[in-house]
Amino acid sequence: MKREIEGLMKKGEEIKGPLCDPDSFKKAFFKMAQVFYANTNLDFEVDSSNKSFLQHFCKYWNRDKAFELLENISLRKGLLVFGSYGTGKTSSFQIIQNMAKYYQVNELWFPTISTQEVVAKFNLEKNKEEVIQYYSKGVFLFDDLGAEMEGNNIFQYGKEEVFVRILLNRYRNFERLGTKTHITTNLNLSQIEQRYGKQLVDRFIKMFNLLKLDGPSRRK
């Protein structure tokens, strides 16, 4: 795969179309997954719980048009991966980041931060709007949406759901600029609506591909 991708890449130019053929990408992902899980306290096995998810996940990152055969699915959107605790949601994204570094493919790279860490920065920063604006721009993976506490904004609002503003801003940037957002969460859409409101969930449908990764916990 490395040679195949390097043959497609030209420094300073964006790759158009798929990075490589689907089988090569899938093999590279599984190879990287085995290395990743061997260094963690986690189990990796392709089974009935994750097989379909991993197929779609690989198609998405390889920019395979076959990904778009499902209804309301688009390579233009980001990914919202949801499901039970410990099923490998965050790990799947980390494997893609490792592939980006190992194969030197900038198109696979994205910064990651937990939602709680964003709120912690919001609470510490005097200029809270600066934190909101920083995380409203550019590609990001926000890990574990729903696990964060409300932010402290005593002078203006008291308690505040920081990610309501961030994600509404990001929706506008998605519509205007095509900015992608990726999210992992243990919440389903109904639970997300209960916490963050219907307005945000309505936009989630437009800006995310919703991929469920459920099954037993893979943590030992």
Side-chain angles (χ1 to χ4, degrees):
M1 176 184 170
K2 187 171 186 179
R3 185 178 304 163
E4 194 170 346
I5 289 181
E6 286 174 344
L8 289 170
M9 289 187 68
K10 295 181 180 178
K11 287 187 177 181
E13 294 185 10
E14 182 182 356
I15 300 174
K16 305 297 182 182
L19 300 178
C20 63
D21 75 82
D23 285 341
S24 293
F25 190 95
K26 187 164 61 174
K27 288 177 182 177
F29 178 88
F30 289 149
K31 178 182 177 181
M32 198 64 64
Q34 289 172 335
V35 173
F36 175 85
Y37 280 96
N39 294 322
T40 66
N41 193 34
L42 301 168
D43 288 320
F44 177 69
E45 181 181 356
V46 179
D47 54 31
S48 59
S49 298
N50 63 10
K51 184 176 181 180
S52 178
F53 166 82
L54 291 173
Q55 288 176 340
H56 294 312
F57 195 72
C58 285
K59 286 177 183 177
Y60 176 84
W61 290 106
N62 193 34
R63 296 195 303 216
D64 186 345
K65 279 290 184 180
F67 177 82
E68 297 186 322
L69 294 179
L70 297 174
E71 185 179 357
N72 203 32
I73 291 288
S74 171
L75 293 171
R76 178 174 172 262
K77 299 180 181 181
L79 293 179
L80 190 154
V81 177
F82 67 103
S84 306
Y85 169 86
T87 54
K89 298 181 292 296
T90 303
S91 300
S92 297
F93 283 100
Q94 289 173 322
I95 292 164
I96 292 295
Q97 289 179 312
N98 289 349
M99 289 176 67
K101 290 184 281 188
Y102 182 80
Y103 293 110
Q104 299 179 8
V105 182
N106 292 335
E107 284 80 358
L108 292 178
W109 178 253
F110 48 89
T112 298
I113 189 168
S114 72
T115 54
Q116 183 54 43
E117 188 175 348
V118 173
V119 173
K121 291 184 177 184
F122 178 87
N123 289 343
L124 289 173
E125 180 62 51
K126 290 183 179 179
N127 186 349
K128 299 186 183 301
E129 188 61 29
E130 191 173 274
V131 176
I132 297 291
Q133 291 305 315
Y134 180 83
Y135 290 107
S136 296
K137 301 172 184 176
V139 180
F140 268 103
L141 165 64
F142 296 110
D143 190 34
D144 212 5
L145 183 72
E148 79 281 0
M149 300 175 67
E150 289 182 312
N152 295 321
N153 201 347
I154 297 171
F155 298 108
Q156 295 184 49
Y157 311 102
K159 293 289 185 180
E160 178 182 4
E161 287 287 10
V162 174
F163 272 89
V164 170
R165 275 207 290 159
I166 289 176
L167 290 171
L168 287 176
N169 285 347
R170 294 190 67 84
Y171 171 75
R172 287 188 283 270
N173 286 333
F174 167 73
E175 288 282 273
R176 188 166 57 92
L177 304 171
T179 303
K180 287 184 178 179
T181 306
H182 306 299
I183 284 176
T184 69
T185 181
N186 294 337
L187 306 180
N188 58 35
L189 281 185
S190 176
Q191 292 168 322
I192 291 172
E193 181 177 334
Q194 288 175 17
R195 172 156 181 181
Y196 302 101
K198 189 175 188 304
Q199 181 187 31
L200 191 59
V201 169
D202 286 345
R203 283 152 179 77
F204 272 21
I205 303 299
K206 297 178 181 178
M207 68 188 289
F208 289 113
N209 299 298
L210 308 180
L211 296 183
K212 187 175 184 180
L213 180 55
D214 228 329
S217 174
R218 297 179 187 275
R219 294 173 182 166
K220 296 178 181 178

